[in-house]
Amino acid sequence: MRIVVTAKYVPDINTDRGFSGGRVVRSAAEGTLNELDENAIEAALRLVEAAREAGTLGPDEGEVVVVTMAGPDGDVALRKAFQLGVDRGIRVSGDELAGSDYFGTAAVLAAAVRRLGAESPVDLVVTGMAALDGLGSVVPTLLGAELGLPTLNLAKKVELADRVLTITREADDVTEVLSAPLPAVLSVTDGANQPRFPGFKLIMAARTKEIEVWTPADLGLDPATAGSAGARTEVLTAAPRPERAEPEIVTDKGEGGVALADFLIRNDLV
Amino acid sequence: MTNRTVLVLLEPATEVRDSALELLTIARGLGRVEAVTLEAPTVEVLAQLGTYGVETVHQAELSRDGSCVTGDERHLPAVVGAALAAAVRLTDADVVLLPTSFAAKEAAALAARELGAGLVIDAASVREADGRVVAGKRVFAGAWDTECALTTDVAVVTVRANSAVAQPADVAVEPVTEGYAVEVAASPVTLVSREVKADTSGRPPLDQAAIVVAGGRGTDGDFGPVEDLADALGAAVGASRDAAFEGWWDTYVGQTGVTVAPRVYIGAGISGAPHHRGGMQASQVIVAVNSDPEAPIFEICDFAVVGQLADVLPQAAAEIRKHKG
Ligand SMILES: Cc1cc2nc3c(=O)[nH]c(=O)nc-3n(C[C@H](O)[C@H](O)[C@H](O)COP(=O)(O)OP(=O)(O)OC[C@H]3O[C@@H](n4cnc5c(N)ncnc54)[C@H](O)[C@@H]3O)c2cc1C
Ligand SMILES: Nc1ncnc2c1ncn2[C@@H]1O[C@H](COP(=O)(O)O)[C@@H](O)[C@H]1O
């Protein structure tokens, strides 16, 4: 069982995020592994572990490879992935990739998966449900289409039996059970699992573990498929919203509910 | 008005939700509006579409290898995406507008990929500028406003609920339904089961409601006061992820839950974590009820009560009922 997880380096949601020159500003001090990709890593690790337990994989068989498309800062995300126990980390980097849109991102990730597949077959690609910076939730769908693989999105429950993947998803007001044979692309939600905490030994080992860096040329990518050159949208303006006015805060001494109702009524909100 | 053709996805076609009326209103500002459906619209739906200026409804007739595709499979994003792409080719449309459900995002991505179209997810506005389609977006938990232009011939945009005030057309028209053939590719994905949650609460849908009352861990599992205030206001009920994962409520607001941008959001017993804020910070007015005067949600609210929600909410509900008479 060989699983590729795609993971994005994003600005930490707990810090102020912003734009510069039409692009999201990211810096190593503030950037982090997209939390939702921890759920993807967890799902991948569990599938390999379960196969080892069931004896379908030997104790040393199975591999989880994490791929990120990012600048050098993206190593922060890969180191975090190593801490969680993934076997290999690849960063796809190149100046020409800056400004990639959803399609460009999916094309680059697909090329990386193909290259890994050329080394030895990839059984499954797992992604997070969304990147917390853009919240697009479309890269998994596009990646699946790009690879020509069945795509099962937004899994809350994942089961694998006889190389058939079955998921349960609750999206919008619909609950669906979907299945597809491997190889496939799978995206998991934050309800799918509880990501593990890194172990001490893994934290130590993650510091010096090798990160492989691939360029678009290594992947045989046409420069026009990704980066600003290939992007189908162009950022025109980006501005912080005006701060809210000072709030009106009432401490409840028995009339708090009346004050709340009064606020709504006097502002014509009822 | 330009000579653009704008397609609006109506899925399902058995009702016209408020979010669909908003889409139609936005679409009219961009050009001539036509609807795309995957099933026959009802008479009531057609009448409503006519009020909103829809002249033509394109109803996909799906087939695969010579046999009809019917039933639940029609709602699969791959099928909806193929139907949308075919409708664009048929009508030579310039813009496709969809709501922002997860299913619609998937369909939008697949259609845009097939058409080589530009894609914007979760727009809060769509307008025309210098001959291009320009979409506005709130990003970073609603802290920034951005606008981007689509540089392709065809633009596919999913639009958030509450992005526009629904407005009927000046002149109502009588829509004509026209079938068109769509060949669906063989799917390696099997739909084992599909179940639509029936909403029997009588409350408006969370993502479309004008007022939302949400409860968090501070409810300690009792959503009674939250529901009481919601019902007094005619509001939808939501929760924090923690409250939902505890099983206290089934839908939650936030980055991985439902994004809401109502006129009024009231959070009770919710601390206001960044993940939660990401799904509600674009609300027009934010009200918080929290027993902790240091709760982070106070940083982004307009009005707050420091107090026990079990005391404050029922009292507010009673007062509002009294006001409404
Ligand atoms: C990847 C990821 C995604 C996430 N996505 C989401 C998301 O989409 N939506 C979301 O909501 N969360 C999300 N979370 C979780 C989020 O980080 C917070 O943990 C969560 O929002 C906290 O829920 P809460 O406010 O109900 O609980 P708490 O943070 O525990 O806050 C409870 C509040 O209730 C107050 N309180 C207690 N008793 C009372 C009382 N009697 N009366 C009044 N107030 C009282 C307390 O003072 C406190 O402020 C996500 C987390 C991760 C890691
Ligand atoms: N630059 C990237 N590098 C690696 N994975 C990515 C990248 N962008 C998106 N992804 C993956 O796609 C998922 C959904 O992203 P998005 O569609 O951008 O919300 C994320 O959770 C990641 O798993």
Side-chain angles (χ1 to χ4, degrees):
Chain A
M1 169 100 56
R2 195 145 173 268
I3 304 179
V4 178
V5 177
T6 59
K8 191 173 185 186
Y9 172 71
V10 297
D12 191 335
I13 183 169
N14 295 302
T15 64
D16 279 335
R17 296 168 293 176
F19 278 94
S20 170
R23 285 186 198 144
V24 177
V25 180
R26 306 178 173 90
S27 72
E30 293 182 317
T32 175
L33 167 65
N34 176 34
E35 284 174 284
L36 294 168
D37 294 337
E38 288 186 36
N39 296 101
I41 291 169
E42 183 66 33
L45 292 171
R46 285 192 195 178
L47 286 170
V48 169
E49 287 162 0
R52 284 185 190 141
E53 248 161 64
T56 44
L57 280 182
D60 299 321
E61 284 176 329
E63 187 183 36
V64 177
V65 186
V66 170
V67 175
T68 190
M69 179 180 100
D73 288 349
D75 288 354
V76 171
L78 292 176
R79 298 250 172 253
K80 177 73 202 250
F82 289 149
Q83 292 180 2
L84 297 172
V86 309
D87 303 294
R88 229 175 121 182
I90 292 155
R91 166 160 61 80
V92 185
S93 278
D95 292 342
E96 62 273 47
L97 297 179
S100 292
D101 64 4
Y102 301 127
F103 303 96
T105 303
V108 172
L109 295 175
V113 172
R114 264 190 235 111
R115 169 156 167 179
L116 284 164
E119 290 173 3
S120 71
V122 170
D123 299 292
L124 181 65
V125 180
V126 189
T127 81
M129 69 179 285
L132 284 172
D133 55 352
L135 289 171
S137 289
V138 293
V139 167
T141 300
L142 295 172
L143 178 59
E146 204 57 45
L147 291 168
L149 292 180
T151 306
L152 301 179
N153 271 330
L154 300 170
K156 190 177 176 190
K157 195 168 140 205
V158 180
E159 291 158 292
L160 182 64
D162 301 327
R163 290 187 65 81
V164 172
L165 193 64
T166 302
I167 68 151
T168 305
R169 71 179 209 162
E170 289 168 14
D172 314 315
D173 52 357
V174 181
T175 304
E176 283 171 338
V177 178
L178 298 157
S179 74
L182 296 186
V185 174
L186 164 73
S187 78
V188 296
T189 66
D190 55 339
N193 54 46
Q194 176 72 48
R196 62 194 63 189
F197 290 106
F200 180 70
K201 266 169 75 182
L202 286 170
I203 293 179
M204 295 311 286
R207 290 191 187 154
T208 50
K209 204 170 162 72
E210 191 209 342
I211 288 172
E212 296 159 66
V213 180
W214 292 354
T215 65
D218 291 337
L219 298 174
L221 276 170
D222 174 352
T225 44
S228 333
R232 303 174 189 178
T233 51
E234 178 193 322
V235 178
L236 299 179
T237 58
R241 287 186 59 73
E243 305 247 339
R244 280 179 189 268
E246 274 295 302
E248 194 180 328
I249 297 182
V250 174
T251 301
D252 181 32
K253 295 195 179 76
E255 298 281 300
V258 175
L260 198 169
D262 172 60
F263 170 81
L264 296 176
I265 293 164
R266 83 180 123 90
N267 286 292
D268 238 354
L269 297 167
V270 174
Chain B
M1 174 106 61
T2 65
N3 55 2
R4 278 205 174 78
T5 300
V6 186
L7 298 182
V8 173
L9 174 68
L10 192 67
E11 196 347 56
T14 44
E15 60 172 324
V16 185
R17 299 187 184 169
D18 288 351
S19 56
L21 297 179
E22 292 161 17
L23 283 184
L24 295 171
T25 306
I26 292 172
R28 278 207 320 274
L30 296 167
R32 195 165 43 98
V33 188
E34 303 184 352
V36 178
T37 70
L38 287 103
E39 59 199 344
T42 59
V43 178
E44 293 80 12
V45 164
L46 273 181
Q48 222 168 348
L49 292 176
T51 316
Y52 274 75
V54 177
E55 290 160 28
T56 314
V57 178
H58 301 281
Q59 187 190 331
E61 285 157 6
L62 307 162
S63 62
R64 179 186 292 133
D65 293 334
S67 47
C68 279
V69 178
T70 54
D72 286 344
E73 236 195 307
R74 281 176 305 180
H75 304 290
L76 283 177
V79 174
V80 178
L84 279 176
V88 169
R89 289 202 195 96
L90 175 81
T91 59
D92 210 10
D94 308 284
V95 186
V96 181
L97 300 183
L98 305 85
T100 38
S101 61
F102 281 111
K105 286 186 198 185
E106 259 181 79
L110 291 170
R113 180 175 186 276
E114 200 177 320
L115 295 163
L119 175 65
V120 174
I121 297 290
D122 264 1
S125 66
V126 190
R127 63 187 180 94
E128 188 202 314
D130 301 328
R132 296 197 294 188
V133 174
V134 173
K137 248 184 106 155
R138 289 268 176 92
V139 299
F140 299 151
W144 283 66
D145 275 332
T146 66
E147 272 201 323
C148 68
L150 288 116
T151 54
T152 42
D153 290 343
V154 181
V156 178
V157 184
T158 75
V159 185
R160 274 191 185 169
N162 284 317
S163 290
V165 179
Q167 211 120 52
D170 294 338
V171 191
V173 292
E174 216 162 299
V176 181
T177 306
E178 286 174 6
Y180 71 105
V182 181
E183 179 66 23
V184 181
S187 169
V189 175
T190 309
L191 178 61
V192 180
S193 67
R194 182 175 200 270
E195 203 179 314
V196 182
K197 253 184 251 159
D199 183 11
T200 51
S201 71
R203 300 190 181 107
L206 181 58
D207 62 334
Q208 298 172 30
I211 307 181
V212 170
V213 185
R217 205 170 262 296
T219 61
D220 215 8
D222 179 9
F223 263 59
V226 174
E227 293 186 73
D228 184 28
L229 179 58
D231 289 339
L233 291 164
V237 175
S240 68
R241 191 184 79 164
D242 285 30
F245 279 14
E246 288 286 354
W248 300 341
W249 197 257
D250 59 354
T251 40
Y252 65 93
V253 170
Q255 291 195 311
T256 58
V258 179
T259 297
V260 301
R263 231 148 66 85
V264 185
Y265 164 96
I266 303 173
I270 288 181
S271 61
H275 301 101
H276 186 79
R277 290 184 188 194
M280 47 63 76
Q281 203 157 341
S283 308
Q284 282 172 39
V285 174
I286 296 174
V287 174
V289 179
N290 199 302
S291 53
D292 173 10
E294 306 288 319
I297 196 166
F298 290 165
E299 291 163 21
I300 55 157
C301 72
D302 301 286
F303 181 86
V305 180
V306 181
Q308 299 293 322
L309 68 88
D311 299 333
V312 176
L313 301 193
Q315 190 182 59
E319 200 64 18
I320 283 158
R321 288 200 175 95
K322 215 176 352 166
H323 169 77
K324 285 188 169 175

